[in-house]
Amino acid sequence: MKYISTRGNTPAQSFEDVLLTGLAPDGGLFIPESVPKIDHEQLLAWKNLSYAELAFEILRLYVGDSMPEEDLRDIINETYPVFSHPDVAPLHALGDNEYVLELFHGPTLAFKDFALQLLGKLLDYFLKRRQQHVAILGATSGDTGSAALEGCRHCKFVDMYILYPHNRVSEVQRRQMTTVPGDNANSLAIEGNFDDCQNIVKKAFADQSFLPEGYQLVAVNSINFSRIMAQIVYYFYAGLNFIDNHEAVSFSVPTGNFGDIYAGYLAKKMGLPVDRLIIATNQNDILHRFISNNSYSLGTLEPSLSPSMDIMVSSNFERFLFDLFEGDSSRVESFVSNLNNNAQQVSETEWNRAKRVFDSCRVDDDATCAIIKEVYEEYRYLLDPHSATGVEAARECCAGSKNPVICLATAHPAKFAEAIERAGLETPALPEHLGDLLEREERFTVLPAELDAVTELISKTL
Ligand SMILES: *Cc1c(COP(=O)(O)O)cnc(C)c1O
């Protein structure tokens, strides 16, 4: 398996190289050169596998010859036992044909653990083999930071620097980052907003000359293909429950950067019978505006009750555009780079093709609170605000459909108390392993929103 860039100006790379960089050198995103196809017989054979066994069958197709299969199997077998539920990703039935796929049983209570727990182990494996050190640098508005710190804190060859906006993340989110033990975990509170953090990170990646000899930066946001790869597994794990009678299922996915739903798109491309992929957005609705009006344009960033979906541009959408433009990299490039100046659109035929795969729905804060309350009253089931947008979108887009719809529950409700309170409900307690989170000692460094301040700290502490 080799990976190519959506911008077409990078030679094909191995999985190992893709994991260790993130963004392609030409500014594009890595995608598999060809997507492996799974036939119906194979799907039936996968139906009764455990989560880890299924993960092995799928990931080996993407890792290719970057590592011996037995090593990959060992890594996977060590990864998923840290999840607190024996099924890892349990499927919970709500009403008729309506399901919730619980992706919040990992250490930091959001779906990002699925990929970042694995990424930590993969990095350790390859870096040990190469005897090389790297620095992870990332900006976070919440869930990615804690999942990355938790996933990589045991890595001997990795130092981590996670930037978050000082005083602008929730207390639970901040504490999940600042209380991670380990000498290699550095939480940097930046005196600015999330965009300031992201800009610093982008500049540091563009000029890495501040790093000591031999070091390089690794990206852990969803532009890193290894994250997408790990997320393909739970679409199969859930969808295979319905495979016997050839029933296609729909997935409703709370979406920000288009990473999670792009994994669902790859699962469909591989051969999982998927009816629709529903993009659920909050008021930051660039993707919904594209699907409903064929207009992809920057809006203003509006803080919402589902902060992990607060984005202006969805980076991973570029990966889908590459397919939509049938591999024409120059069109991908012009679509993405002209976005700053004006709204982008695609041809009528292309737009219709996109709409055959994706449906979309915008769920604002009021609608989010309303559905949290409604589902709680119907089923005594408490949704977090991100997951709630998915359930509402499923109900709006799938009314009258006979196919089962699986709503991805991307975070645990205890993580986002404000929305639960606004819905008039009582916040649940944090799960046991985080019960003492509010008493743990915090470690973080406050820095001005300046590139030099960050690079100086990194080069001093590496
Ligand atoms: C990151 C995140 C999302 C959005 O996922 P994308 O891959 O960026 O679309 C949704 N919900 C939660 C809880 C998240 O942490």
Side-chain angles (χ1 to χ4, degrees):
M1 170 67 81
K2 289 276 185 226
Y3 293 83
I4 53 172
S5 163
T6 50
R7 305 280 173 97
N9 283 319
T10 301
Q13 312 247 323
S14 68
F15 174 78
E16 178 176 353
D17 292 330
V18 167
L19 170 74
L20 291 176
T21 43
L23 205 65
D26 61 9
L29 302 185
F30 283 114
I31 47 174
E33 201 166 38
S34 66
V35 171
K37 295 283 192 286
I38 313 300
D39 62 22
H40 190 72
E41 209 177 322
Q42 189 69 60
L43 290 174
L44 288 174
W46 282 1
K47 188 180 148 72
N48 294 315
L49 298 183
S50 70
Y51 193 87
E53 287 164 342
L54 181 65
F56 172 72
E57 293 300 330
I58 293 172
L59 300 192
R60 71 189 185 88
L61 304 172
Y62 287 93
V63 172
D65 55 13
S66 278
M67 73 166 73
E69 292 205 334
E70 280 322 297
D71 293 351
L72 178 64
R73 196 191 289 278
D74 289 345
I75 287 175
I76 292 171
N77 285 342
E78 284 167 18
T79 300
Y80 293 102
V82 302
F83 283 64
S84 63
H85 196 287
D87 286 344
V88 184
L91 191 63
H92 178 93
L94 286 182
D96 277 349
N97 269 342
E98 186 180 52
Y99 298 84
V100 171
L101 179 61
E102 296 184 345
L103 301 175
F104 51 72
H105 296 286
T108 72
L109 313 181
F111 81 90
K112 294 190 169 75
D113 289 325
F114 277 83
L116 287 160
Q117 284 293 317
L118 181 76
L119 186 136
K121 298 213 161 42
L122 290 172
L123 279 179
D124 228 17
Y125 176 89
F126 288 118
L127 294 171
K128 187 169 168 199
R129 197 167 75 178
R130 297 158 76 116
Q131 286 296 305
Q132 186 191 347
H133 283 265
V134 300
I136 284 175
L137 178 62
T140 184
S141 53
D143 297 334
T144 301
S146 53
L149 291 165
E150 192 60 50
C152 302
R153 69 189 168 94
H154 297 295
C155 298
K156 290 185 199 71
F157 295 85
V158 175
D159 286 276
M160 292 180 282
Y161 299 89
I162 300 295
L163 280 56
Y164 66 90
H166 190 35
N167 293 331
R168 295 188 203 203
V169 298
S170 80
E171 178 169 19
V172 170
Q173 286 185 312
R174 185 193 74 237
R175 286 182 165 274
Q176 281 188 308
M177 291 187 273
T178 59
T179 61
V180 170
D183 300 341
N184 67 346
N186 301 281
S187 300
L188 310 183
I190 301 297
E191 293 171 321
N193 59 26
F194 173 66
D195 283 333
D196 296 325
C197 298
Q198 205 160 30
N199 282 334
I200 293 173
V201 168
K202 274 190 193 150
K203 285 188 204 146
F205 268 89
D207 178 6
Q208 304 188 13
S209 58
F210 65 93
L211 292 170
E213 187 67 28
Y215 269 87
Q216 72 183 57
L217 294 179
V218 170
V220 291
N221 53 6
S222 53
I223 62 161
N224 194 314
F225 185 81
S226 68
R227 278 192 51 187
I228 309 282
M229 167 186 90
Q231 291 166 209
I232 297 171
V233 179
Y234 50 69
Y235 285 91
F236 277 92
Y237 191 64
L240 288 173
N241 285 297
F242 305 90
I243 197 73
D244 283 336
N245 30 3
H246 287 258
E247 222 178 346
V249 294
S250 294
F251 288 95
S252 184
V253 187
T255 303
N257 233 339
F258 203 74
D260 201 6
I261 198 163
Y262 180 73
Y265 168 76
L266 286 182
K268 180 178 166 73
K269 239 180 130 174
M270 288 171 73
L272 182 69
V274 174
D275 181 27
R276 331 237 53 207
L277 290 165
I278 301 162
I279 298 166
T281 75
N282 60 28
Q283 46 268 53
N284 297 293
D285 60 350
I286 181 168
L287 291 165
H288 173 62
R289 284 181 284 122
F290 173 73
I291 296 293
S292 53
N293 293 320
N294 190 8
S295 170
Y296 194 74
S297 66
L298 295 179
T300 46
L301 193 69
E302 278 186 49
S304 78
L305 291 174
S306 40
S308 303
M309 295 155 61
D310 290 351
I311 45 88
M312 266 163 56
V313 183
S314 296
S315 339
N316 285 290
F317 193 56
E318 177 166 343
R319 292 185 154 119
F320 173 68
L321 284 175
F322 183 86
D323 277 6
L324 195 60
F325 296 156
E326 294 172 326
D328 185 342
S329 296
S330 58
R331 282 194 63 201
V332 174
E333 163 112 59
S334 95
F335 188 101
V336 175
S337 52
N338 289 330
L339 181 63
N340 280 330
N341 305 322
N342 38 42
Q344 297 299 300
Q345 56 179 48
V346 299
S347 76
E348 195 74 11
T349 322
E350 288 160 347
W351 184 43
N352 285 324
R353 230 180 322 123
K355 286 194 294 182
R356 274 203 292 280
V357 183
F358 296 103
D359 208 340
S360 73
C361 183
R362 173 191 199 267
V363 183
D364 67 16
D365 282 353
D366 287 342
T368 299
C369 293
I371 189 78
I372 290 175
K373 189 156 196 284
E374 187 176 311
V375 169
Y376 188 74
E377 282 170 356
E378 283 170 336
Y379 304 111
R380 299 282 129 181
Y381 189 86
L382 192 57
L383 293 164
D384 104 285
H386 304 81
S387 314
T389 65
V391 173
E392 175 62 24
R395 289 186 178 186
E396 288 193 30
C397 295
C398 298
S401 159
K402 289 192 197 63
N403 298 61
V405 56
I406 297 173
C407 307
L408 271 51
T410 49
H412 190 289
K415 229 176 151 166
F416 297 97
E418 191 190 342
I420 311 292
E421 279 158 25
R422 258 184 60 182
L425 302 171
E426 229 171 276
T427 349
L430 285 164
E432 208 171 324
H433 75 275
L434 288 172
D436 65 345
L437 186 68
L438 300 184
E439 282 91 59
R440 291 185 198 167
E441 194 190 333
E442 293 190 78
R443 270 190 317 128
F444 60 95
T445 311
V446 181
L447 289 178
E450 286 160 18
L451 175 67
D452 289 350
V454 172
T455 54
E456 211 170 282
L457 181 133
I458 294 176
S459 56
K460 248 196 261 159
T461 49
L462 272 179

